[in-house]
Amino acid sequence: EVQLLESGGGLMQPGGSLRLSCATSGYSFSSYAMSWVRQAPGKGLEWVSALDSRGATTHYADSVRGRFTISRDISRSTLYLQMTSLRAEDTATYYCTRDEETDSGLVVTRHDYWGQGVLVTVSS
Amino acid sequence: EIVMTQSPATLSVSLGERATLSCRASQNVDSLLAWYQQKPGQSPRLLIHDASTRATGIPARFSGSGSGTEFTLTISGLQSEDFAVYYCQQYRHWTPTFGQGTRVEIK
């Protein structure tokens, strides 16, 4: 059974930093791309960042580029999101998702499995 | 950025009836479109990918159609567990983008 379990959320002050983790199991972590998708309270879904299966190619939404860094540890089957210079508008539930990848290694952001989400609140 | 527009915002449907949800893309996304279902307090779940392919374990009453810029999700014979918010998402272009969602409620 594919499982994704996020952790690391909490209450942060504006300008602060936080690292989210997503521990995975039930499939070959090194064979799939991954993404982070967020949802502000009572709002819709917003894709944040994606990473290919090798951890070589990253993609970011304009709203987080330069502040967030996505990475993965294949030995731990874990995805990370390092968040810096946090803003109030980053307040959201953050989901990690499993994505597809083409034979040539291009990320396909078709999110077939989702974690339960972790809440990040940025407030003074 | 591709803008995804869903209609209607809210759809009131009786149990057993058919629900038709629409999604329009501001540019051609070919068939690289997915539909997700989200129930209150839960994570989204993939229903349809590549515009018309049901994801693993999704009942046959869910069907998707369309290509290019116009897409439809049809739920035939609504059951109580189908009342939720539905999102479309294009993954043809970077940045992947979601629609604002359609809430399906009990009439």
Side-chain angles (χ1 to χ4, degrees), chain A residues 37 39 43-47 50 59-62 65 95 107-117, chain B residues 1 34 36 38 42-46 48-50 56 87 89-91 93-100:
Chain A
V37 176
Q39 186 170 37
K43 302 298 184 181
L45 301 168
E46 178 189 18
W47 172 84
H59 303 273
Y60 296 97
D62 288 345
R65 185 175 290 112
Y95 298 98
V107 176
V108 179
T109 51
R110 183 178 77 210
H111 314 300
D112 62 353
Y113 286 93
W114 297 63
Q116 88 291 347
Chain B
E1 179 176 294
Y36 302 88
Q38 187 177 32
Q42 296 187 16
S43 306
R45 176 175 70 148
L46 177 66
I48 301 285
H49 62 86
D50 299 338
T56 303
Y87 295 94
Q89 177 229 345
Q90 67 82 20
Y91 47 96
H93 302 279
W94 291 101
T95 301
T97 45
F98 292 87
Q100 80 281 14

Side-chain angles (χ1 to χ4, degrees), chain A residues 71-122:
Chain A
S71 62
R72 65 197 295 160
D73 184 336
I74 292 177
S75 66
R76 296 177 181 270
S77 297
T78 299
L79 178 74
Y80 301 101
L81 186 67
Q82 179 69 47
M83 310 164 68
T84 64
S85 302
L86 283 164
R87 306 167 180 169
E89 54 264 36
D90 295 320
T91 295
T93 295
Y94 285 73
Y95 298 98
C96 66
T97 73
R98 191 181 81 167
D99 292 355
E100 294 291 337
E101 200 166 278
T102 66
D103 291 341
S104 55
L106 298 178
V107 176
V108 179
T109 51
R110 183 178 77 210
H111 314 300
D112 62 353
Y113 286 93
W114 297 63
Q116 88 291 347
V118 62
L119 179 62
V120 173
T121 303
V122 183

Side-chain angles (χ1 to χ4, degrees), chain A residues 2 24-34 53 72 74 77 98:
Chain A
V2 174
T24 73
S25 61
Y27 72 100
S28 176
F29 180 70
S30 61
S31 298
Y32 288 84
M34 301 285 292
S53 62
R72 65 197 295 160
I74 292 177
S77 297
R98 191 181 81 167

